[in-house]
Amino acid sequence: MKTYLAEVLGTFLLVFIGTASVVTGGFGGALPLGQEGIGLAFGIGLIAAAYAIGPISGAHLNPAVTLGVFLAGRLPAKDVIPYWIAQIIGAILASLALWIIVSGQAGGHTGGFGANGWDETKWGMSSAFLWELIGTFTFVTVILGVTAEKHSTAFAGLVIGLTLAGIHFAMIPVTGTSVNPARSIGPALFTGGAALSQLWLFIVAPLIGGAIAGVVAKARIFEKD
């Protein structure tokens, strides 16, 4: 149970810090942070969570990561669904906390909650799908690489967080950057509309990307002998 509670807390930290940077400090927000600032917020949120709860649960914080870790042979099958449930709960709680906070905004909150989506007048569904699949594959491959037994490093959390930030720099203009089904589910539930109708893509594409990364890691294609 301690492991799953750690995943709830870690995912809460990641989603809350990341989406808050969009809602209160993003484009047109109080700072504004812009694309680079938002990317760094997600990366820093992940670094914080990784070092805070990593020793307890591995700090997956992401169903796609959990699937990749499982397919790489590093997680028992019995833990996959509980990890997913814990991550989704953490993301929903983060979006709920953000919703409560911005509800007190003078004049009311008229913006969203950092939900993912793509502008159908600029990008096709296939573009969004490929961005999320490739982005997640890249992200999970890095995670499985720096946490491999023969390549373990104390800087793993930092490398993973910076990778997530870099992926955000590239993908924010297209999909807002998910690479994490839990991160998309929480905000979508409080945003509604297109965020909900497009949510399936931010579940399916990252899971496929994570699965491919797990299979590649299992084959040890990039692992030293």
Side-chain angles (χ1 to χ4, degrees), residues 47 50-51 146 151-159:
I47 292 169
Y51 285 107
V146 299
H151 191 193
S152 181
T153 169
F155 296 105
L158 180 62
V159 172

Side-chain angles (χ1 to χ4, degrees), residues 3 19-20 48 61 73 75 87 102 109 111 115 139 175 181 190 208 211 220:
T3 297
T19 56
L61 320 179
L75 184 75
Q87 291 153 3
V102 300
H109 179 65
F139 183 50
T175 64
F190 289 86
I208 293 175
R220 299 184 177 181

Side-chain angles (χ1 to χ4, degrees), residues 170-195:
M171 292 175 55
I172 281 178
V174 184
T175 64
T177 312
S178 172
V179 301
N180 182 342
R183 174 261 181 271
S184 295
I185 290 171
L189 294 178
F190 289 86
T191 303

Side-chain angles (χ1 to χ4, degrees), residues 15-182:
V15 176
F16 182 79
I17 293 173
T19 56
S21 75
V22 178
V23 174
T24 63
F27 302 102
L31 295 180
L33 293 175
Q35 183 172 326
E36 293 79 11
I38 292 170
L40 286 173
F42 274 98
I44 292 169
L46 177 56
I47 292 169
Y51 285 107
I53 59 100
I56 302 172
S57 69
H60 295 187
L61 320 179
N62 180 340
V65 173
T66 296
L67 182 59
V69 173
F70 164 66
L71 291 175
R74 304 184 197 174
L75 184 75
K78 66 180 180 62
D79 285 332
V80 174
I81 299 301
Y83 263 71
W84 285 359
I85 292 172
Q87 291 153 3
I88 292 170
I89 290 173
I92 292 173
L93 289 176
S95 294
L96 174 62
L98 186 58
W99 176 79
I100 293 171
I101 291 169
V102 300
S103 293
Q105 186 175 355
H109 179 65
T110 57
F113 294 93
N116 294 113
W118 70 94
D119 184 344
E120 295 177 345
T121 65
K122 297 180 179 179
W123 298 97
M125 180 185 69
S126 60
S127 296
F129 195 96
L130 283 172
W131 264 116
E132 288 293 331
L133 190 156
I134 295 170
T136 309
F137 169 77
T138 302
F139 183 50
V140 179
T141 294
V142 170
I143 291 172
L144 294 174
V146 299
T147 59
E149 187 176 353
K150 294 183 179 180
H151 191 193
S152 181
T153 169
F155 296 105
L158 180 62
V159 172
I160 293 166
L162 290 175
T163 300
L164 183 61
I167 290 171
H168 274 77
F169 297 161
M171 292 175 55
I172 281 178
V174 184
T175 64
T177 312
S178 172
V179 301
N180 182 342

